[in-house]
């Protein structure tokens, strides 16, 4: 049978991947960092026993976090990415020619080191001169850099456990909103409405208390347990279903998932989600 690596959810469900070998295992000041090579999902980044991203399906997650926001914000010259130490999100951001500067705030240098070495196919934009990568605490950055302004803010955190839990706090969302330019767009990963409905609903509540436009959207990410994942598009003006065609054209051909039709489709919510959100 060989060796299996399991992520366990709430002691009642687990997802197991058959492992070929462990490529890296280390402990940072924040978390356990591992890269495993698996039979079905290729190389997988694992933080504190939670699957973060895989060579097999990472595009489904990173393209959907980045492009709905980046194709709809009024301007995308300045982009802030919080988390995302594997490099997949900044890779997608920097595919947009209009982006002039992308600041990435990652607390854990070991995640980036391990990803650069063992997941070079995911982080392909580390050397882009527009990228400004800083290893600092996002909470501290948002508190101390109140004058920095961004057209788009993307939150690419872990689940709300361990060092990433604070990235789900309402006060943190408020700080991120303060950094947005007028009409700016924030997008974030907002967990699974199937596996973590309570966290999903509570996240939507917090965001709705801060932004006038809050639109969750869904897509498949097989690595994340139930396969159904959510992201949320937030702004005070505008709406997510009016993307700029020119920006879409610039990236659609090079995207594995994102296209014009999918952009519209992902915002269509199933009844169980609409009912949970009282929409
Ligand atoms: N259940 C795991 C959720 C992880 C979301 N973030 C992944 C980071 C990929 N860049």
């Amino acid at each position: 049978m060989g060796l299996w690596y399991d992520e366990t959810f709430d002691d009642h469900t687990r997802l197991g991947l058959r492992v070929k070998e462990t490529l890296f295992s280390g402990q940072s000041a924040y978390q356990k960092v591992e890269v495993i090579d698996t039979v079905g999902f290729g190389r997988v980044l694992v933080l504190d026993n939670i699957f973060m991203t895989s060579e097999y399906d990472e595009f489904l997650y990173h393209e959907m976090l980045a492009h709905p926001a980046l194709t709809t914000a009024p301007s995308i010259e300045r982009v802030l990415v919080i988390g995302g130490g594997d490099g997949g999100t900044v890779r997608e951001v920097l595919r947009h020619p209009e982006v002039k500067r992308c600041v990435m705030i990652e607390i854990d240098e070991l995640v980036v080191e391990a990803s650069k070495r063992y997941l070079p196919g995911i982080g392909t934009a580390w050397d882009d001169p527009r990228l400004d990568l800083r290893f600092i605490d996002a909470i501290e950055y948002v508190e101390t850099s109140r004058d920095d302004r961004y057209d788009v803010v993307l939150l690419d955190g872990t689940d709300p456990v361990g060092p990433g839990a604070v990235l789900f706090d309402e006060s943190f969302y408020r700080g991120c909103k303060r950094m947005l330019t007028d009409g700016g767009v924030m997008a974030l990963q907002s967990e699974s409405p199937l596996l973590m409905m309570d966290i999903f609903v509570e996240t939507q509540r917090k965001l709705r208390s801060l932004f006038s436009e809050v639109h969750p959207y869904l897509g498949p990410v097989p690595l994340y347990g139930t396969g159904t994942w959510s992201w949320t598009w937030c702004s005070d003006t505008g709406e997510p279903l009016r993307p700029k065609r020119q920006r879409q054209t610039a990236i659609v051909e090079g995207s594995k998932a994102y296209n014009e039709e999918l952009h519209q489709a992902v915002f269509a919510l199933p009844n169980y989600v609409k009912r949970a959100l009282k929409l």
Side-chain angles (χ1 to χ4, degrees):
M1 280 288 279
L3 184 64
W4 289 76
Y5 196 115
D6 290 349
E7 178 181 344
T8 303
F9 312 100
D10 295 334
D11 285 334
H12 56 64
T13 308
R14 62 187 180 181
L15 174 72
L17 301 180
R18 192 155 171 201
V19 178
K20 288 201 254 185
E21 65 174 314
T22 297
L23 299 168
F24 176 80
S25 181
Q27 177 72 44
S28 73
Y30 308 101
Q31 57 206 339
K32 184 167 74 173
V33 179
E34 295 168 287
V35 181
I36 55 175
D37 195 10
T38 70
V39 177
F41 280 67
R43 293 182 175 193
V44 179
L45 174 67
V46 191
L47 300 181
D48 279 345
N49 300 86
I50 300 175
F51 297 139
M52 283 296 127
T53 200
S54 81
E55 289 179 322
Y56 171 64
D57 68 352
E58 60 85 16
F59 65 97
L60 293 168
Y61 174 89
H62 293 119
E63 291 185 16
M64 295 319 295
L65 174 61
H67 301 314
L70 285 159
T71 52
T72 49
S75 167
I76 57 169
E77 286 192 5
R78 289 175 55 86
V79 178
L80 173 65
V81 173
I82 290 179
D86 50 76
T89 296
V90 294
R91 176 197 73 215
E92 291 304 315
V93 169
L94 292 165
R95 290 180 53 220
H96 286 270
E98 284 179 54
V99 173
K100 291 195 171 146
R101 181 173 154 80
C102 176
V103 174
M104 172 175 162
I105 305 295
E106 166 61 57
I107 196 169
D108 197 341
E109 196 164 355
L110 188 60
V111 175
V112 173
E113 275 175 20
S115 299
K116 280 185 175 173
R117 178 147 184 211
Y118 296 103
L119 301 167
I122 294 180
T124 54
W126 294 120
D127 295 329
D128 191 307
R130 296 171 294 166
L131 179 64
D132 176 357
L133 169 59
R134 305 182 198 175
F135 295 108
I136 46 173
D137 183 346
I139 305 291
E140 188 187 321
Y141 176 70
V142 165
E143 279 307 310
T144 57
S145 314
R146 290 173 176 237
D147 294 336
D148 291 2
R149 288 284 175 276
Y150 296 94
D151 302 311
V152 172
V153 173
L154 301 176
L155 306 186
D156 184 9
T158 60
D159 293 330
V161 288
V166 285
L167 303 188
F168 285 77
D169 287 353
E170 194 169 319
S171 58
F172 177 65
Y173 294 149
R174 188 174 300 110
C176 291
K177 178 181 171 169
R178 208 167 37 224
M179 301 189 104
L180 283 174
T181 49
D182 286 345
V185 174
M186 178 167 105
L188 59 147
Q189 74 90 355
S190 42
E191 301 291 311
S192 166
L194 278 177
L195 202 56
M196 300 153 230
M197 181 58 103
D198 49 345
I199 296 171
F200 171 75
V201 170
E202 182 58 9
T203 302
Q204 300 300 311
R205 185 199 62 72
K206 292 173 189 168
L207 294 168
R208 283 181 188 177
S209 75
L210 296 168
F211 292 92
S212 29
E213 297 291 333
V214 175
H215 300 272
Y217 55 101
L218 304 181
V221 184
L223 186 67
Y224 299 160
T226 59
T228 297
W229 204 249
S230 82
W231 302 260
T232 303
W233 186 105
C234 315
S235 184
D236 270 343
T237 56
E239 54 114 336
L241 295 178
R242 299 169 73 94
K244 297 182 190 307
R245 292 286 169 200
Q246 197 184 327
R247 287 192 205 150
Q248 289 187 311
T249 306
I251 56 145
V252 161
E253 201 170 314
S255 297
K256 287 191 193 166
Y258 181 85
N259 61 35
E260 295 87 344
E261 298 85 0
L262 195 64
H263 183 118
Q264 302 296 317
V266 291
F267 287 94
L269 299 176
N271 286 346
Y272 76 93
V273 173
K274 288 168 86 169
R275 287 174 189 146
L277 298 178
K278 302 187 172 35
L279 294 174

